[in-house]
Amino acid sequence: MRLLIMGPPGAGKGTQASSIADHYGIVTISTGQLFRDNIQLGTPLGKQIEALIAAGNLVPDEVTNQMVFQRLASPDVRKRGGFLLDGYPRTLEQVEALDGELVRSRRKLQAVIALVADPSQLVERLLKRAEIEGRADDNADSIRHRIDVYHAETAPLLEVYRDRGLLVEVDAMGAVEDVRTRITDALDAKLGHPS
C-alpha cells in the first residue's frame, strides 16, 4: 500500500500513521523524523538542514524532496512494498515532485487519508496536551493560528487528491483505537483490502 496521511495539529496524525503502517505492514516515512535523523547522523543532507534551521530558514522543497525520495528508494521500503508518508507533501510543488518520483519508480499512490476534526475540539485537545507536557508556548491563540495555517496551506492539496479520487476523509475525534478502526475500515472499503 502506498498512502499519505494529512491532518491538522492535534488530529493525532503521528499516532495514527505508525498504527496504520503497522496494520498494513508498510513503512512510515515522517519528514519530521527524517530531518531529525539526518541531523543526528550528521549526513551531508543533515548538515545542510541544520544550517538552514539554525539560520531561521525553512528547509526548501528541493532539499525535502531529495530526503523523502532517498527514503522511498531505501531497501526496507522496497522490501515491504509500501509506505505511508506523514508530513509530506505540504505544497503543490511537492505534490508535483512526488508525482514525478512515483512515475519514475513505477509506483502509484492508492489513497490519501485526511483526518478531519472541529477546530474548537482540536484547540481543547492541544491545550490539555500542553498542560500535561508543560508546553507554555501552546496557548489557544497560537494553536488556532497553527490550525488556520494548516487549513490555508493544505486545502489546495486536499482538493488535488479529492479530484483524483484518492481522498479518504475520516473523523479524527474519539479514542485512538476507534479512529484507527475508522481509518482501516475506510481504506479497506476503498481499496478492497482485507483487514
Side-chain angles (χ1 to χ4, degrees):
M1 292 186 97
R2 293 169 301 281
L3 309 169
L4 302 182
I5 189 166
M6 299 173 135
K13 193 166 51 85
T15 301
Q16 293 301 336
S18 55
S19 295
I20 300 307
D22 287 348
H23 179 82
Y24 290 112
I26 57 177
V27 176
T28 307
I29 300 174
S30 157
T31 47
Q33 191 59 52
L34 286 177
F35 285 142
R36 289 186 290 277
D37 291 348
N38 274 279
I39 290 168
Q40 190 176 2
L41 294 169
T43 67
L45 209 50
K47 289 176 183 165
Q48 191 179 354
I49 292 164
E50 193 169 29
L52 286 162
I53 292 170
N57 296 317
L58 294 174
V59 179
D61 283 351
E62 313 82 67
V63 175
T64 304
N65 294 342
Q66 183 185 354
M67 184 183 67
V68 171
F69 300 163
Q70 281 178 359
R71 186 68 182 96
L72 285 172
S74 61
D76 64 328
V77 176
R78 292 249 178 237
K79 182 180 175 188
R80 291 210 194 169
F83 57 82
L84 187 149
L85 287 171
D86 171 10
Y88 181 91
R90 286 184 185 240
T91 65
L92 289 171
E93 291 78 13
Q94 288 179 354
V95 169
E96 286 178 26
L98 178 60
D99 288 347
E101 180 61 23
L102 291 173
V103 167
R104 273 189 296 283
S105 62
R106 296 191 179 110
R107 293 185 274 190
K108 250 189 194 170
L109 276 182
Q110 293 172 281
V112 175
I113 305 155
L115 298 178
V116 180
D118 178 81
S120 60
Q121 290 180 301
L122 293 174
V123 170
E124 202 174 295
R125 183 185 272 184
L126 287 170
L127 285 173
K128 277 185 193 157
R129 186 174 83 183
E131 192 180 316
I132 292 165
E133 295 177 7
R135 295 181 179 196
D137 58 333
D138 267 1
N139 59 54
D141 289 338
S142 68
I143 291 167
R144 273 192 208 93
H145 176 70
R146 290 192 347 245
I147 292 169
D148 290 344
V149 167
Y150 166 81
H151 286 295
E153 291 179 353
T154 310
L157 278 65
L158 294 176
E159 285 310 309
V160 166
Y161 291 124
R162 180 177 281 113
D163 290 347
R164 294 181 186 178
L166 295 174
L167 203 62
V168 176
E169 293 182 292
V170 178
D171 179 2
M173 298 312 289
V176 171
E177 298 76 20
D178 294 341
V179 176
R180 183 176 53 242
T181 299
R182 274 182 230 140
I183 294 170
T184 55
D185 287 352
L187 286 172
D188 292 346
K190 180 171 186 55
L191 303 173
H193 190 283
S195 278

